Amino acid sequence: MADIAPWLMASLSQVQALKKQKKLSHALLVTGADGVGQEELARAMVKDLMCEELDQAKACGYCHSCQLMAANTHPDYRILDGEEGAIKVDHIRQLTQKISQKPQVGQNKVVLITHAQAMNINAANAVLKALEEPADRTYFVLTTSQSSSLLPTIRSRCLLVNVPTPNLAEVTSWLHQQPDGDELASLFWLTTQPFRLLAIEKQQKTAIYSALPDAIKALLQGEKGVDLVLKGVSSANIEDYCNGLAAILHQCINHSAGATLPSALADLYPLIMRRMSIQQIMLRYQSLQKLKSDLLKTNLNPVMQLTYELNQW
């Protein structure tokens, strides 16, 4: 349990206690703000559920099932990741067919569906049917940051596990224990959600965000042209640039309303406020959100689109 983030421990302990008391529901919905660690918590819960020591609260780490889980080769554990794309009904049907049989190795079978809001309506109905008619010794664990988008009937059949949002001090302390944590902490102007920051590092996109405030500062001071600011933009990372620019504008709006300004934007904020009114900043923020949406639907030229946006700053 000490291996997971501190703010996840209380939720994990509650589930472990229910498991030991044999009062755990066959379906669990782990929900919280995007990036606070739902998936991390769910994976820890799955390990406990797969352990063959059913009378123990947490996984023993030594049984055959625990060893298979550590090697990611357990035949009775299935996962669908909605972050990789829409979850369709065929995915659910294939999964439920495989788990309809008795466990091959241990005592339980577990299905983990992360980012469950990616299920289309047919997939959601298929999951609902599986929850209504659960296979013997089978657990469903779902995670989401948008629980309201799930069918109410799915929510009602799950034990709700709420993941708390850590405060800035907790995130800062935890990040300092991670590789490159200090650099990630400098991106608090972008997000303070810890696992979103780790995902940025894992995707090797930290440099894009770290360089953006200074690049925009140089642009507004006339030291750098738009073409140089957007030199590294491509279809593969335009969403990151949109997210970064939108976050800068969002912080400006918040600070104008009295919120604390992240130190990384201290020099940039007055430059932006001299160039645009709050109303104009809001329009540019909305325009960036629309651009992100449009890029998913059409083959727009990313450099051309962002060039137009930055020329309005």
Side-chain angles (χ1 to χ4, degrees), residues 300-311:
L300 297 175
N301 183 302
V303 176
M304 184 180 299
Q305 295 300 315
L306 276 187
T307 296
Y308 171 80
E309 281 299 322
L310 286 181
N311 280 334

Side-chain angles (χ1 to χ4, degrees), residues 1-2 4-18 30 41 44-45 48 159-164 170:
M1 189 164 66
I4 69 168
W7 59 89
L8 302 177
M9 290 183 179
S11 297
L12 181 58
S13 294
Q14 291 171 358
V15 173
Q16 289 174 335
L18 289 172
V30 186
L41 175 59
M45 289 163 48
D48 294 336
L159 171 66
L160 185 62
V161 181
N162 286 309
V163 179
E170 289 175 311

Side-chain angles (χ1 to χ4, degrees), residues 239 242-247 249-250 282-297 309:
E239 184 174 356
C242 288
N243 287 338
L245 293 171
L249 297 179
H250 191 255
M282 288 180 175
L283 284 174
R284 298 274 53 86
Y285 176 82
Q286 293 168 358
S287 182
L288 283 165
Q289 300 302 329
K290 183 177 184 301
L291 174 57
K292 279 176 56 179
S293 176
D294 290 344
L295 287 166
L296 296 174
K297 305 171 187 174
E309 281 299 322

